[in-house]
Amino acid sequence: MKSNFIVRYILRSLRIGTVAAVAATHIHGSENVFRVDVSKFEEDAIGNRFSNVSLWHYNGTSADETFFHQDAESMPENWLRDTYPWLEEAQVYIASGGGYKGHPRMEIDTAGNELDRDLFKNPGDPTVLDDYDFSPLVRACRNMLRQGIKPCLKLHNVPVKYSKNPKIDWFRVNVRPPDDYQVYADYIAALVTAMVDAFSIDEVGQWRWYIGTEFDNKTWFQANDETPESTAIEFLKLYDYSVFALEQVLGEYCGPVGSHAMMVTNGYWEPELFFAHCAEGVNYATGQRGSRLDFFAVSQYDLSAVDLTYVKEYWPELQGTDNVLATLDRMGDGEKRTIEGNAAVNNFGDKISRTRAVLDQYGFESIPIEVSEGGLVYGTDGKWLWHGLAFGGSFDASWTALSFKKMLDNQVVLWSRWPIFRSSGLFRGPELAATNAIRLIDRMSEDRRILVQGTGTATSEIVASLSSDEKTVRILAFNHAPNFDNPNPTETLKLDLSKLPFDGKVSTTIWRVDENHADFWPKWETDRAAYGINDSDYYQSRDQPDPAHALLKSEHIAYWHSREAAYEKLAELDVASIRYDRVEKGQLNIELKLPCYAVALVEIREER
């Protein structure tokens, strides 16, 4: 029996190609008016577009974190799902191996191991290949289920002792293929069997599975000879043997299986080879034609919140360019590494169009596209947003609202964010402004999107929706500027609603997320300046949303912790205003003032 999540996911993906996008159009005029014809709406519900969270490790981003061991166990059952009702699934990156603490760093390595990922009793003993110990991952998955969400395991990087010449690259994991794919397949099969033994085949059959993360990125996976041609072949082998192992254990119970690429214009090898192989290639594990592919994901990062001149000493070639690869010193250690550079999330549509075209070319028209990872790379200081790849303030809230609209415009089924719902991840610390923006967006998930037409010169945008019972209209409005140094002015939007399905008394409720509502970050910025915390007191960007990991001095970290309780109150999302109006002949006009980096949800509900 498939879970409701998987059933909804599959049904939405089957319909997505036939439902026309209802995008807001904008016509220049003298007033900033958005005309909302409530009679013109899509057939299908918007859906839960932020249902996933991506975990660098099941316990967090850095070695001191304990998300799905101690943290989850210390919280009441189902606390996570009750607190974040939109959260349904956790994508666990590098779940099946790729390194262990204590592995000696070799000359070939770009970096050292920081986390235990190889699931063995003795991961450093290459003479014993089946001393499996899946208990740490089983514990994490048990706690995910206890907290009300499903695990989605990303199986890709190979345990160190399965590669004769392992190489630990920038992501701190082994990028080499296994020496023996059957040995590796046995390991994956044993891992899945351990999950079935712990949770039952009915439960594990409800999970989704990823094979690969950014497979066109050589810092994730690379053949021994380090050529793109060999790397493509080795990844196809890894994919086929992994799917074979899944189906060997789960059979007809096996849930959706997919993969993930950067999908930039010049990755390490061409993803089209992967799609062609899945459609018509010879399967390396079975010898049959093709390989299973049920969904596909891309990465989507915006380069910076400021003008790119802040980092031009690293990559001047990025000025005015989209979807390119360039090198920069993102660790601050003098070593240049490759990263994708997107000028703005507005380029997202180009990437999705290219991905959709190549999927359709090989007969995968019904396969949904999602974002498995994404965020912002650089802060307003031009430094790396290391912990969370997100902002602490409302810039990320309006960017998230814009990303939501881009998902709707481009038929992307979900966006999995890194686990930074609160300042210390998922379970501790004050909530971030972006989390409150998602909380507002979630109120629209069961609604149907309404056609919107805008006039004027407003930089603000809106998404409108109608509830399934046709008693509530919701309007999400946001004012986002991609360059923090050049913000938009505060704008007054005129919302002209027509053909409402009800007349008479209505309540108009407004929630806001901005520097004065549901955002503690402006107060933290004031406090840290008054306390004497300077840019030099941070590891990388001062805008990282987790000051406890970003600050360098214990005194400053202690000061942050002393202020957390006050910030939790400031982060609370409350109704900003409520009033009662009358709808006459299906008409209603509302004015809404929107500062830059603000998000607002207007909810018009019939009152009886």
Side-chain angles (χ1 to χ4, degrees):
M1 182 67 181
K2 300 296 184 191
S3 71
N4 289 336
F5 171 74
I6 290 179
V7 169
R8 292 199 309 274
Y9 187 96
I10 293 172
L11 289 176
R12 190 194 312 160
S13 69
L14 289 174
R15 292 193 301 260
I16 208 161
T18 60
V19 178
V22 186
T25 57
H26 208 77
I27 303 170
H28 289 290
S30 59
E31 292 187 314
N32 296 323
V33 179
F34 290 91
R35 294 188 172 86
V36 182
D37 182 342
V38 181
S39 69
K40 297 179 179 179
F41 53 82
E42 288 186 347
E43 177 184 352
D44 296 316
I46 286 172
N48 182 2
R49 304 289 171 133
F50 291 101
S51 62
N52 278 219
V53 62
S54 291
L55 304 173
W56 182 247
H57 182 267
Y58 50 75
N59 266 337
T61 303
S62 53
D64 63 318
E65 294 177 302
T66 58
F67 285 2
F68 282 100
H69 279 182
Q70 290 93 322
D71 289 3
E73 290 165 353
S74 70
M75 302 300 285
E77 186 173 352
N78 225 51
W79 180 91
L80 191 63
R81 186 67 188 274
D82 290 344
T83 306
Y84 306 110
W86 62 86
L87 189 56
E88 301 182 19
E89 185 179 76
Q91 295 185 19
V92 184
Y93 276 56
I94 331 171
S96 53
Y100 62 93
K101 287 187 291 186
H103 172 64
R105 182 167 177 173
M106 309 300 288
E107 186 175 348
I108 193 176
D109 295 338
T110 301
N113 283 121
E114 295 176 341
L115 298 164
D116 286 321
R117 301 185 187 275
D118 292 354
L119 299 166
F120 301 99
K121 296 173 183 175
N122 187 353
D125 183 1
T127 67
V128 181
L129 301 180
D130 60 355
D131 58 330
Y132 311 133
D133 180 8
F134 300 113
S135 57
L137 185 59
V138 168
R139 179 184 175 186
C141 291
R142 178 174 287 112
N143 286 324
M144 290 173 196
L145 294 170
R146 180 178 174 273
Q147 287 297 332
I149 62 176
K150 299 291 186 188
C152 171
L153 302 184
K154 300 193 81 168
L155 313 173
H156 47 106
N157 288 89
V158 175
V160 168
K161 70 179 180 180
Y162 283 175
S163 300
K164 191 174 298 181
N165 298 299
K167 177 183 178 181
I168 309 302
D169 215 314
W170 193 81
F171 291 115
R172 276 66 174 161
V173 290
N174 177 29
V175 298
R176 296 299 193 219
D179 299 326
D180 187 324
Y181 278 97
Q182 189 56 58
V183 169
Y184 179 74
D186 291 344
Y187 171 72
I188 296 299
L191 184 157
V192 179
T193 299
M195 298 299 152
V196 171
D197 291 344
F199 308 116
S200 82
I201 196 167
D202 287 331
E203 171 58 45
V204 179
Q206 298 178 44
W207 300 1
R208 297 194 308 149
W209 305 86
Y210 269 96
I211 314 299
T213 290
E214 292 188 338
F215 61 65
D216 51 347
N217 183 342
K218 68 178 181 179
T219 57
W220 272 118
F221 190 77
Q222 192 177 137
N224 290 315
D225 66 6
E226 302 193 354
T227 66
E229 295 79 12
S230 296
T231 298
I233 291 171
E234 294 299 330
F235 179 76
L236 299 179
K237 290 179 183 178
L238 188 84
Y239 186 87
D240 289 347
Y241 274 92
S242 299
V243 175
F244 173 74
L246 283 169
E247 294 185 331
Q248 188 180 35
V249 176
L250 297 174
E252 64 179 334
Y253 288 86
C254 187
V257 180
S259 195
H260 168 197
M262 294 186 297
M263 294 304 295
V264 293
T265 53
N266 55 344
Y268 190 53
W269 57 276
E270 179 50 59
E272 184 176 345
L273 298 173
F274 171 74
F275 301 126
H277 175 76
C278 289
E280 54 199 30
V282 176
N283 190 296
Y284 285 100
T286 67
Q288 298 176 356
R289 182 175 180 269
S291 196
R292 178 175 182 171
L293 181 64
D294 301 315
F295 63 91
F296 190 72
V298 302
S299 300
Q300 178 63 34
Y301 288 98
D302 271 13
L303 178 63
S304 179
V306 292
D307 190 277
L308 294 180
T309 54
Y310 271 66
V311 290
K312 69 179 181 180
E313 66 269 28
Y314 297 127
W315 42 8
E317 68 272 28
L318 266 183
Q319 302 298 323
T321 62
D322 305 335
N323 295 321
V324 300
L325 292 176
T327 57
L328 75 161
D329 174 13
R330 38 178 196 186
M331 289 294 289
D333 58 5
E335 184 173 350
K336 299 294 184 70
R337 300 179 178 89
T338 299
I339 190 172
E340 178 183 359
N342 287 340
V345 76
N346 287 310
N347 302 317
F348 184 44
D350 296 337
K351 176 181 286 188
I352 297 305
S353 294
R354 287 187 284 107
T355 304
R356 182 78 269 161
V358 72
L359 280 167
D360 292 354
Q361 178 184 344
Y362 288 99
F364 296 117
E365 294 91 345
S366 64
I367 284 183
I369 299 173
E370 60 188 68
V371 176
S372 182
E373 60 174 286
L376 294 148
V377 180
Y378 281 88
T380 58
D381 50 10
K383 298 177 183 177
W384 186 30
L385 291 164
W386 167 63
H387 210 269
L389 293 172
F391 271 75
S394 58
F395 182 97
D396 194 22
S398 57
W399 184 86
T400 298
L402 174 62
S403 300
F404 169 65
K405 182 176 181 294
K406 294 298 178 182
M407 277 194 285
L408 298 182
D409 291 345
N410 294 283
Q411 293 83 53
V412 172
V413 296
L414 67 88
W415 187 306
S416 188
R417 292 175 61 93
W418 292 111
I420 199 75
F421 292 11
R422 313 173 82 90
S423 65
S424 292
L426 296 174
F427 297 97
R428 294 178 290 111
E431 288 186 342
L432 302 177
T435 302
N436 283 323
I438 295 174
R439 185 169 275 116
L440 296 181
I441 290 168
D442 184 55
R443 297 180 69 89
M444 308 176 82
S445 62
E446 296 182 4
D447 296 356
R448 291 162 293 177
R449 192 179 183 190
I450 301 170
L451 173 68
V452 174
Q453 186 180 73
T455 63
T457 58
T459 54
S460 300
E461 299 184 63
I462 75 169
V463 174
S465 66
L466 176 67
S467 65
S468 57
D469 63 4
E470 300 191 359
K471 295 181 181 296
T472 305
V473 173
R474 295 182 175 92
I475 298 174
L476 182 80
F478 55 93
N479 185 350
H480 183 75
N483 186 342
F484 197 82
D485 292 336
N486 187 26
N488 302 327
T490 295
E491 296 182 329
T492 299
L493 310 183
K494 296 184 177 181
L495 308 177
D496 182 0
L497 286 79
S498 63
K499 299 183 182 178
L500 285 156
F502 43 78
D503 278 330
K505 185 179 180 180
V506 297
S507 60
T508 301
T509 306
I510 301 176
W511 290 265
R512 291 183 178 272
V513 179
D514 54 42
E515 62 180 10
N516 297 310
H517 300 87
D519 180 13
F520 72 89
W521 201 255
K523 178 59 175 169
W524 162 241
E525 289 182 319
T526 301
D527 288 350
R528 75 188 182 196
Y531 195 78
I533 298 174
N534 302 310
D535 287 6
S536 60
D537 295 317
Y538 286 86
Y539 173 72
Q540 298 293 338
S541 179
R542 65 176 178 244
D543 295 325
Q544 292 171 76
D546 186 352
H549 276 98
L551 289 166
L552 297 171
K553 298 178 182 177
S554 57
E555 174 196 350
H556 295 159
I557 295 171
Y559 176 69
W560 157 257
H561 286 312
S562 75
R563 301 291 298 140
E564 281 185 298
Y567 298 148
E568 286 184 9
K569 293 293 293 181
L570 291 172
E572 291 178 358
L573 178 65
D574 296 315
V575 171
S577 65
I578 183 169
R579 72 170 190 263
Y580 293 93
D581 299 300
R582 291 198 65 82
V583 173
E584 302 288 348
K585 297 181 180 180
Q587 304 279 336
L588 182 66
N589 296 305
I590 298 171
E591 283 197 359
L592 181 69
K593 187 168 287 188
L594 211 60
C596 193
Y597 305 121
V599 179
L601 181 70
V602 181
E603 193 170 274
I604 303 109
R605 182 168 181 80
E606 180 185 23
E607 296 288 330
R608 292 290 186 185

